[in-house]
C-alpha cells in the first residue's frame, strides 16, 4: 500500500481545507492535508471571527469603483487601492468593474446568502456536537451609524437586500442602539441589528477543526510548501512538497489567496486577487461591547471574546505585498476611538495582516475543474471564509462522494470562469 496516497489530497490547511477534510472524513474518505505553515495560520487566524449571514450583499455595486479610485489618494481609507502599477491586479479591477451593476449584485447576493445561511446552521451544530472550544456565541451583530447619511445608505442598499433574501434585520433608533450597547459613546443616529449572526474565536475554531480531523484519522502535513503539481493526461498525478511527494485519487485546491499562483502552472486562470486585511488583538477591556459591532463610518469591526478583544476590517488591494501597514493599523485604532468609550484593551496581544481571496464576482469558486478530471476547487471566499466554511466542506464532500447537495452548486461552479 502506498502510504503517501489517500482518497483525497487537500491543498491548504485553513478553515476551508479543514472543513472539507472534516466532511470528507465523515463521508468515509481517507484524507491528507498539505499546508505550507501550520493549520489555520493564514486568513483563518486573525480575522474578526464573525459568522455573518448579514454579509450577503457584495461590495460590487454601481458607484463603488469611484470610491476605490478616490481611495488611492488616502492610504488610511477603509477601501484602499494602492496606486502602484500591477498588471494582474489591473485586469482583476477591470473585471470587478464589469460586475458593478444591479443585476450582478442581486445574483451575487443570492448566491452568497444561500451558502452563508446553510453554513450558519451547520456551524452551530458542528460546534455543539463536536464540543469545540472556540468561544462560539449567538448574540447577533450590530451595525452602528453616527450620521444620517450612512444610516440611510445602509437601510437602502443593505437592509432592504436582506429583507428580500429573508435574512432578519432590525432597524433601531440611536437611543435604542446606545441602550443595548453601553460600550458605545453617545451620538449614535441609528443602527441595524442582525440577530442571526454569531461569533467565535477563529484561531481556536481552526485549532479545533484540525484536532478533530486528526482524531477522525485525517493526516495534516504541516510545513509542506508546494513545489510542483505533477499531471498525467487529464489528471493531477502528484504534488511535490518540502515534506515529500503525495498523491490522491482526488485533489481539492483550498489555497485561499495563493490559489491563482498555484493554478497558473496548471493552465487555470482564476480571476482572484488578495484583499489585504488587518486586525489588532488586545486583552479584554473592562467595558467591552456585548455584541459584535461594525462601526460603519470608519468601517471598523469589533469582536469581544472572554479571552480577548479584536479590532479589524479594512480592504487593501496591494497585490501580494507582504507586511504590516502602520497607516492601516492606526486607522483601526482611530475609528474605534471615535465610537467606543474604551477602544483598546489593557494589553496589546497581536498586530496582524492577512490576504483574503477575492474573486472578481465576489462569489466563491467551489466545484470540479473543467480542465482536470480529479481536481476540485474550494477557494475565493473573500472576507467570509470562516462564515462559509462548514457549508463549503459539506458541498465539496457531497459533490465528490455522490451525495445530494444541500445547496445548488451551480452559482459557485469554476466553469463560469472556464476553469
Amino acid at each position: 500500500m502506498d502510504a503517501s496516497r489517500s482518497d483525497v489530497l487537500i491543498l491548504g490547511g485553513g478553515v476551508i481545507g479543514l472543513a472539507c477534510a472534516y466532511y470528507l472524513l465523515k463521508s468515509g474518505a481517507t484524507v491528507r492535508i498539505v499546508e505550507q505553515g501550520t493549520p489555520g495560520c493564514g486568513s483563518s487566524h486573525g480575522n474578526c471571527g464573525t459568522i455573518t449571514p448579514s454579509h450577503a450583499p457584495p461590495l460590487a455595486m454601481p458607484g463603488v469603483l469611484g470610491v476605490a479610485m478616490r481611495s488611492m489618494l488616502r492610504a488610511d481609507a477603509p477601501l484602499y487601492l494602492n496606486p502602484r502599477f500591477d498588471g494582474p491586479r489591473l485586469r482583476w479591477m477591470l473585471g470587478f468593474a464589469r460586475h458593478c451593476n444591479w443585476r450582478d449584485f442581486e445574483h451575487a447576493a443570492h448566491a452568497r446568502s444561500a451558502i452563508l445561511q446553510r453554513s450558519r446552521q451547520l456551524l452551530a451544530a458542528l460546534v455543539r456536537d463536536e464540543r469545540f472550544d472556540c468561544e462560539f456565541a449567538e448574540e447577533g451583530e450590530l451595525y452602528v451609524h453616527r450620521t444620517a447619511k450612512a444610516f440611510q445608505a445602509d437601510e437602502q442598499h443593505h437592509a432592504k437586500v436582506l429583507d428580500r433574501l429573508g435574512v432578519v434585520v432590525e432597524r433601531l433608533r440611536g437611543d435604542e442602539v446606545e441602550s443595548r450597547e453601553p460600550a458605545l459613546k453617545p451620538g449614535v443616529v441609528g443602527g441595524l441589528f442582525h440577530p442571526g449572526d454569531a461569533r467565535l474565536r477563529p484561531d481556536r475554531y481552526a485549532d479545533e477543526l484540525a484536532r478533530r480531523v486528526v482524531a477522525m484519522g485525517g493526516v495534516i502535513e504541516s510545513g509542506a510548501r508546494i513545489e510542483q503539481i505533477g499531471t498525467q493526461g487529464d489528471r493531477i498525478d502528484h504534488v511535490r512538497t518540502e515534506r515529500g511527494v503525495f498523491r490522491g485519487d482526488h485533489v481539492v485546491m483550498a489555497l485561499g489567496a495563493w490559489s491563482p499562483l498555484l493554478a497558473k502552472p496548471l493552465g487555470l486562470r482564476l480571476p482572484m486577487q488578495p484583499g489585504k486585511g488587518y486586525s489588532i488583538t488586545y486583552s479584554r477591556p473592562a467595558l467591552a461591547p456585548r455584541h459584535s459591532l461594525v462601526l460603519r463610518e470608519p468601517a471598523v469591526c469589533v469582536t469581544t471574546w472572554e479571552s480577548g478583544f479584536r479590532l479589524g476590517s479594512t480592504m487593501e488591494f496591494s497585490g501580494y505585498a507582504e507586511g504590516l501597514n502602520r497607516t492601516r493599523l492606526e486607522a483601526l485604532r482611530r475609528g474605534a476611538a471615535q465610537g467606543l468609550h474604551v477602544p483598546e484593551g489593557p494589553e496589546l496581544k497581536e498586530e496582524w495582516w492577512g490576504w483574503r481571496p477575492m474573486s472578481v464576482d465576489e462569489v466563491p469558486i467551489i466545484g470540479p475543474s473543467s480542465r482536470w478530471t480529479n481536481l476540485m476547487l474550494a477557494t475565493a471566499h473573500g472576507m467570509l471564509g470562516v462564515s462559509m466554511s462548514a457549508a463549503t466542506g459539506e458541498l465539496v464532500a457531497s459533490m465528490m462522494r455522490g451525495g445530494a447537495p444541500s445547496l445548488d452548486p451551480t452559482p459557485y461552479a469554476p466553469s463560469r470562469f472556464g476553469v
Side-chain angles (χ1 to χ4, degrees), residues 267-288:
L268 305 179
R269 186 183 290 275
L270 296 178
M272 294 169 57
Q273 273 287 297
K276 200 173 187 182
Y278 296 85
S279 70
I280 309 171
T281 306
Y282 300 93
S283 57
R284 182 180 171 122
L287 181 58

Side-chain angles (χ1 to χ4, degrees), residues 199-355:
R199 55 94 171 148
L200 49 70
R201 179 106 190 194
D203 51 345
R204 295 188 178 178
Y205 171 55
D207 288 346
E208 290 287 73
L209 267 175
R211 176 188 60 79
R212 189 70 189 109
V213 162
V214 172
M216 294 167 74
V219 178
I220 301 176
E221 304 283 353
S222 297
R225 183 183 295 273
I226 296 169
E227 297 174 336
Q228 185 233 354
I229 301 177
T231 61
Q232 188 171 38
D234 59 0
R235 294 176 58 81
I236 306 296
D237 178 67
H238 65 270
V239 177
R240 185 179 300 280
T241 78
E242 293 178 347
R243 290 281 301 272
V245 177
F246 303 103
R247 292 176 170 83
D249 295 335
H250 299 274
V251 177
V252 178
M253 183 178 287
L255 291 165
W258 286 267
S259 297
L261 304 182
L262 273 294
K264 188 175 180 181
L266 296 172
L268 305 179
R269 186 183 290 275
L270 296 178
M272 294 169 57
Q273 273 287 297
K276 200 173 187 182
Y278 296 85
S279 70
I280 309 171
T281 306
Y282 300 93
S283 57
R284 182 180 171 122
L287 181 58
R290 297 171 177 172
H291 305 89
S292 297
L293 304 177
V294 178
L295 308 177
R296 287 298 286 153
E297 286 80 4
V300 174
C301 298
V302 185
T303 311
T304 304
W305 306 290
E306 287 300 319
S307 64
F309 173 77
R310 181 169 290 169
L311 309 177
S313 195
T314 83
M315 179 64 76
E316 175 184 335
F317 288 103
S318 298
Y320 286 91
E322 298 186 5
L324 289 169
N325 182 330
R326 286 277 147 206
T327 301
R328 312 292 287 166
L329 293 175
E330 289 308 315
L332 289 176
R333 290 189 172 96
R334 195 164 54 248
Q338 292 168 11
L340 298 175
H341 286 295
V342 184
E344 301 181 34
E347 182 183 353
L348 175 63
K349 295 288 189 179
E350 183 179 28
E351 295 176 327
W352 174 91
W353 67 272
W355 288 323

Side-chain angles (χ1 to χ4, degrees), residues 118 134 145 178 295 300 337 346:
R118 177 60 181 166
C134 59
H145 305 81
E178 292 175 6
L295 308 177
V300 174

